[in-house]
Each structure stands twice: as C-alpha cells, then as structure tokens.
C-alpha cells in the first residue's frame, strides 16, 4: 500500500493563534499527502506563565478556531491532520493532540508524561495510549514529545497495532530524535516526529527548540530529517503495512519473542 506521510516544522509566535494558523494553512494548502503531523501546542507557543494565558488559546474540540479550520482543510484536501493543542475540558487543561480525518472523525490524546513546567498548567492524561484510524484505515498511535523518554509509550501503542507513531513535539532536550530511532526499531514501526524551531521567551524563561523533525522507517532509518531551523513541510511515501511484520531473523520476532513474565512489574 502506498501512503504519503508528511512532517511540518515551523516557528509559532507565542499566543498568536490566528496568525500561526494562517501560516500553517498556507504551508499545507499546496501539499498533496495522506497524513500530516504538526508540532505539539502547534498554534499557541509553549512557555505559558499563567492559567489565563493557557485559557486564552485553549480549545475544546469540536469547538474552536483551529479545530474547525483544520477539520475543513482535512475534508477539502482529503488528508488526515494531527496536531498538538491546549485542551480545555471540565474546567481543567490537558496538553493534547488530535487526529482529524477527511470523513470528519477525530480522536484526542491527552499527554501522559508532562515535562517540567507543563505540570503547572496541565493535568496528566488518564486515558493512556490508544490506536486510532487515519485516512485509508492506517493505524496510528499518538504520543507527545516527552512521552519519547518512556519506552512504554511507544511499546503500548505498537502492541496495540500502531503502524505509524505520530509524535508532535516541542523538544528542548537533545536526545529525542536519536532515541526515536530505537523506538521505531524495537517496535518495528514508522515514526513521525514534528518539532518546532526557534527560541521562545516569556516571564523571564527562555527555551530553545531543537528542530530536526523527522520521518523514520521501521528499523529506525531516517527517511527525512529537517535541519534545526528550517520551516517547511516534507512528504515521504511509505507502506504502513510493512509495520505489521515484526520479523527480525528466521527465528526472531520483535513481539513474538517478548517474555513479559521475565520483566519486572512493580
Ligand atoms: C516536551 O515534552 N515538550 C519537552
């Protein structure tokens, strides 16, 4: 099966949701693809310093400017779109991502492993890791940024049948892009890490985001990696069904050889 997957990298302006959305829509309009992954908190910026700032830009799908705009775009361009956003639900906030499909279906994931000051504003997700269906029945797993540091995230999604790990990110530590090669290899799945670029400052704090968004094959090979700073969308053609085969050697299978009874379970 031929399937076009895309990764978008850019530098959002803090709290300028409408302007950021316009820029991303302009980047996506010329693209022909089946699935595109955007960064974590893709339209809002990252370094919140108060609940008021989070509230200003949070959305509650199916309401919200970003959600409704991208729902239309997904339908119009016949592509699945996955992006990170601050979610408001029942009076609290989550650092979430959402997969939107051309048929109007959508699936939200709430980040399980919050990084550093995210813990000041966001509740950790309690629904865990689920596989969702993107365009053409492709099985995708959603994980957000720092989830990379817990191998159980990618493993749970892959054991549940994910063919492509979709990994919206705002990476500040230097290791994730290389670590994701191992997440892909040990689970024999494709992965798409969409990172943002640039430096953001707010309330005396400054973060540099590392770029290097990437699309990896099922043995961790780099199919496309962007530079630190470029703002662009790239598309690669893959066969997601290759991820269903977990063969390592004639006598080894990445999942069949697992020995859960040997592993420490606290
Ligand atoms: C991160 O999880 N945004 C570092």
């Amino acid at each position: 099966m031929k399937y076009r997957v895309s990764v978008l990298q850019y530098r959002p302006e803090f709290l300028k949701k409408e302007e950021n959305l316009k820029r991303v829509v302009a980047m996506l309009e010329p693209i022909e693809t089946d699935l595109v992954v955007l960064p974590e908190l893709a339209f809002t910026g990252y370094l919140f310093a108060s609940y008021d700032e989070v509230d200003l830009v949070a959305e509650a799908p199916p309401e919200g400017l970003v959600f409704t705009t991208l729902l239309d775009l997904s339908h119009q361009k016949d592509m699945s779109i996955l992006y990170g956003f601050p979610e408001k639900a029942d009076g609290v906030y989550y650092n979430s991502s959402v997969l939107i499909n051309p048929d109007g279906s959508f699936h939200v994931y709430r980040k399980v492993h919050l990084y550093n000051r995210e813990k000041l504003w966001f509740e950790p997700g309690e629904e865990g890791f689920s596989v969702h269906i993107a365009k053409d029945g492709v099985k995708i797993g959603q994980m957000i940024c720092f989830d990379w540091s817990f191998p159980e995230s990618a493993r749970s999604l892959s054991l549940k049948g994910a063919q492509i790990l979709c990994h919206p990110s705002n990476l500040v530590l230097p290791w994730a892009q290389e670590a994701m090669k191992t997440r892909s290899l040990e689970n024999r799945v494709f992965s798409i890490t969409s990172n943002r670029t640039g430096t953001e400052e707010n309330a005396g704090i400054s973060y540099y985001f590392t770029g290097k968004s990437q699309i990896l094959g099922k043995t961790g090979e780099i199919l496309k990696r962007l530079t630190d700073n470029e703002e662009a969308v790239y598309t690669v053609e893959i066969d997601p069904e290759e991820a269903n085969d977990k063969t390592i050697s004639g006598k080894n299978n990445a999942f069949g050889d697992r020995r859960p009874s040997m592993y420490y379970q606290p």
Side-chain angles (χ1 to χ4, degrees):
M1 160 187 205
K2 296 212 181 303
Y3 201 71
R4 297 158 301 176
V5 293
S6 305
V7 66
L8 180 145
Q9 173 172 298
Y10 88 120
R11 176 190 176 151
E13 295 294 327
F14 187 58
L15 297 187
K16 302 218 164 120
K17 191 164 92 168
E18 280 187 49
E19 288 92 325
N20 292 330
L21 182 60
K22 275 193 192 126
R23 285 186 57 212
V24 168
V25 168
M27 290 170 83
L28 291 177
E29 248 153 12
I31 301 300
E32 295 297 328
T33 193
D34 298 305
L35 167 69
V36 61
V37 181
L38 279 47
E40 176 185 15
L41 298 171
F43 301 96
T44 62
Y46 181 80
L47 269 176
F48 298 110
S50 69
Y51 278 112
D52 285 348
E53 287 178 350
V54 180
D55 194 66
L56 200 64
V57 288
E59 294 198 355
E63 311 286 322
L65 175 72
V66 171
F67 181 84
T68 52
T69 303
L70 296 185
L71 186 75
D72 284 351
L73 190 68
S74 165
H75 181 69
Q76 178 198 320
K77 299 229 19 122
D78 192 27
M79 63 186 182
S80 290
I81 303 175
L82 196 149
Y83 67 93
F85 71 106
E87 182 190 6
K88 185 173 187 176
D90 302 323
V92 297
Y93 304 94
Y94 298 94
N95 183 346
S96 298
S97 58
V98 61
L99 167 72
I100 300 178
N101 291 323
D103 66 3
S105 60
F106 68 94
H107 306 280
V108 172
Y109 161 69
R110 294 174 175 164
K111 187 176 186 178
V112 168
H113 303 100
L114 297 174
Y115 179 71
N116 204 353
R117 290 170 56 85
E118 291 171 29
K119 294 188 180 188
L120 299 177
W121 328 114
F122 297 119
E123 302 297 314
E126 296 295 343
E127 283 89 15
F129 296 95
S130 298
V131 170
H132 298 121
I133 301 299
K135 183 187 165 189
D136 294 340
V138 168
K139 295 178 187 159
I140 66 104
Q142 303 190 53
M143 52 187 276
I144 300 178
C145 204
F146 191 49
D147 284 331
W148 70 266
S149 194
F150 302 85
E152 295 87 350
S153 314
R155 175 52 52 100
S156 302
L157 290 166
S158 305
L159 285 173
K160 287 184 170 186
Q163 296 164 316
I164 307 172
L165 302 177
C166 296
H167 183 215
S169 295
N170 276 192
L171 291 161
V172 290
L173 301 175
W175 305 295
Q177 291 88 342
E178 290 300 299
M180 285 305 291
K181 291 181 178 175
T182 306
R183 298 290 97 81
S184 269
L185 172 64
E186 65 200 356
N187 294 297
R188 302 270 155 164
V189 290
F190 297 89
S191 65
I192 305 173
T193 297
S194 170
N195 194 15
R196 60 161 289 177
T197 65
T199 300
E200 189 170 281
E201 291 181 23
N202 190 28
I205 298 172
S206 170
Y207 274 8
Y208 172 75
F209 298 94
T210 58
K212 298 187 193 70
S213 295
Q214 63 187 17
I215 301 174
L216 302 181
K218 62 175 276 196
T219 51
E221 71 275 24
I222 297 175
L223 303 178
K224 178 68 201 177
R225 182 181 275 178
L226 282 70
T227 66
D228 290 28
N229 289 310
E230 69 186 300
E231 299 186 280
V233 193
Y234 284 96
T235 302
V236 166
E237 194 172 275
I238 63 168
D239 179 358
E241 287 171 352
E242 284 175 10
N244 301 342
D245 179 3
K246 305 298 182 191
T247 304
I248 298 174
S249 77
K251 295 197 188 303
N252 293 103
N253 181 285
F255 285 1
D257 282 1
R258 293 181 66 245
R259 304 275 315 276
S261 65
M262 298 289 107
Y263 306 151
Y264 177 58
Q265 320 249 3

